[in-house]
Amino acid sequence: MLITHDTRCALDTVVDLVNTAPEDDAPDTLADVAALEDFVGNHEISDVGVLSEFDLSAVRKIRGRFASVFATQDARTAAALINELVAAAGTTPQLTDHDGYDWHVHYFAPGASVADHLAADCGMALAFFVVAGEQERLRRCEAPDCRRAFVDLSRNRSRRYCDSRTCGNRLHVAAYRARRKEAAG
């Protein structure tokens, strides 16, 4: 599957957005407007203007909808969720070449709120996966104490953990120790 630079950026953004949500005992890392400003800056989201509590609330709402896309195994359900997000954003696809980037497509309307910007661009990035029959690549980490979202871009769709160096390695070490303990009797 060919993934363009702007689609990859949108995928990274939506995964990071979903992973800001509070999980078990982990706090909401999108706790205030300053955190939203940091998120926007870290992901180089352009043309969003001054952010407010209203923007924070709207972004948290779409974050929950995106989380639902990662939670479903059904392409029809994922498509319906994505369609709702993109339609509500009032998409206006436009070709643009800004900030040193070559031509790419922005799906959000000029002057759109940050929530509409995210819903449109990230929604379309996820839509490409559903259209390509690759929706199962939108996953949650299989580590029992993690559940972070990620996009499996491995060739054979075999990635199970959000990060093999942390979650994957931790589970492999635990399994190794359990086998050694069992063998030692």
Side-chain angles (χ1 to χ4, degrees):
M1 177 175 191
L2 175 66
I3 300 174
T4 62
H5 171 75
D6 51 315
T7 299
R8 180 59 194 255
C9 289
L11 289 171
D12 291 344
T13 300
V14 72
V15 164
D16 289 348
L17 178 62
V18 169
N19 289 334
T20 66
E23 285 271 332
D24 299 325
D25 50 346
D28 186 339
T29 57
L30 207 55
D32 53 29
V33 174
L36 179 59
E37 289 169 347
D38 288 344
F39 183 87
V40 166
N42 291 338
H43 290 86
E44 299 178 355
I45 300 170
S46 60
D47 194 29
V48 294
V50 177
L51 300 173
S52 67
E53 288 290 331
F54 177 81
D55 292 309
L56 178 62
S57 176
V59 169
R60 284 179 175 161
K61 184 177 178 182
I62 65 159
R63 173 182 70 185
R65 291 184 178 172
F66 280 130
S68 296
V69 173
F70 281 85
T72 186
Q73 299 298 313
D74 177 55
R76 187 165 304 283
T77 303
L81 292 164
I82 293 166
N83 283 341
E84 289 173 16
L85 278 161
V86 172
T91 59
T92 305
Q94 291 187 325
L95 287 168
T96 183
D97 66 339
H98 62 87
D99 299 329
Y101 294 105
D102 203 1
W103 290 104
H104 60 282
V105 179
H106 281 182
Y107 294 96
F108 58 93
S113 70
V114 66
D116 286 345
H117 181 131
L118 291 168
D121 273 0
C122 296
M124 289 304 299
L126 296 177
F128 295 141
F129 278 78
V130 175
V131 168
E134 301 285 349
Q135 185 259 333
E136 72 274 4
R137 290 181 181 269
L138 309 176
R139 297 193 174 158
R140 291 291 192 154
C141 184
E142 290 183 18
D145 58 340
C146 182
R147 306 301 301 150
R148 290 176 56 87
F150 69 95
V151 178
D152 179 2
L153 297 177
S154 67
R155 185 173 300 215
N156 62 356
R157 299 176 192 96
S158 63
R159 188 169 159 199
R160 298 173 47 206
Y161 307 109
C162 65
D163 186 346
S164 61
R165 291 182 308 252
T166 55
C167 291
N169 192 45
R170 187 175 62 244
L171 288 174
H172 289 112
V173 167
Y176 171 77
R177 289 180 179 160
R179 285 191 307 272
R180 296 235 352 189
K181 185 177 179 180
E182 186 178 306

